[in-house]
Amino acid sequence: MPKNKGKGGKNRKRGKNEADDEKRELVFKEDGQEYAQVLRMLGNGRCEAMCIDNAKRLCHIRGKMHKKVWIAAGDIILVGLRDYQDDKADVILKYMPDEARLLKAYGELPDNIRLNEGISNTMDEDEEGDGEDYIEFEDEDIDKI
């Protein structure tokens, strides 16, 4: 029988829980960095993001964040720009929703960026829809059912 040289299996790895709930210091961008909003996830540790300077870039999630910090479409991230490739960038940090609100309050993010506050699909008054998404029932219709 082979000797066990490891320190445990997948359950040990699963038990690592970084304390993300505690408050951390707000990190602002430096030169060579830019704020961006994730447009879509591409897989293989990559995402497509729209930077604040109106450039769409292919972003690579760094290994320290891979499988530890989950990034979804609509998240605000801090990317490091590359000197040799303008259309590619590296994800340095993902901002939590409250941190993104603070950045917007400080004027770091422009007003036209819409922050995702969870998974709420509510229709705003300024959006014009056909009304096909929502069905209104009257009390009489409910009584017939």
Side-chain angles (χ1 to χ4, degrees):
M1 223 151 109
K3 187 176 173 185
N4 221 358
K5 295 178 183 172
K7 290 194 166 62
K10 66 179 178 182
N11 288 335
R12 180 180 176 275
K13 293 175 190 167
R14 193 179 292 159
K16 288 182 185 174
N17 189 9
E18 310 290 318
D20 289 333
D21 296 338
E22 61 190 42
K23 292 283 184 183
R24 63 181 185 192
E25 188 175 329
L26 189 61
V27 178
F28 293 104
K29 73 172 184 173
E30 299 172 4
D31 46 331
Q33 297 176 349
E34 193 66 59
Y35 299 114
Q37 187 169 26
V38 178
L39 296 177
R40 61 188 180 137
M41 295 301 295
L42 300 173
N44 205 19
R46 296 173 303 142
C47 63
E48 187 178 45
M50 177 63 78
C51 294
I52 300 304
D53 57 355
N54 289 329
K56 194 181 285 189
R57 291 188 171 96
L58 181 70
C59 299
H60 177 264
I61 300 171
R62 56 186 289 202
K64 189 176 181 181
M65 298 174 66
H66 192 69
K67 290 194 176 180
K68 291 177 179 64
V69 178
W70 293 103
I71 298 175
D75 287 343
I76 303 296
I77 55 175
L78 181 67
V79 297
L81 303 177
R82 297 182 178 180
D83 297 333
Y84 52 92
Q85 290 174 314
D86 192 42
D87 59 335
K88 292 188 179 179
D90 302 299
V91 178
I92 297 173
L93 179 81
K94 175 197 168 190
Y95 290 105
M96 299 297 158
D98 56 332
E99 293 173 333
R101 278 192 297 270
L102 280 173
L103 281 176
K104 199 167 185 180
Y106 287 141
E108 293 284 323
L109 298 176
D111 293 332
N112 62 354
I113 286 195
R114 297 191 57 177
L115 302 177
N116 276 7
E117 308 293 327
I119 312 171
S120 59
N121 285 333
T122 57
M123 286 183 64
D124 293 336
E125 290 83 28
D126 56 338
E127 291 182 11
E128 292 184 19
D130 297 333
E132 296 177 10
D133 296 341
Y134 299 100
I135 301 172
E136 291 186 20
F137 290 102
E138 295 181 11
D139 292 334
E140 299 169 1
D141 295 335
I142 295 173
D143 292 338
K144 291 177 184 176
I145 297 174

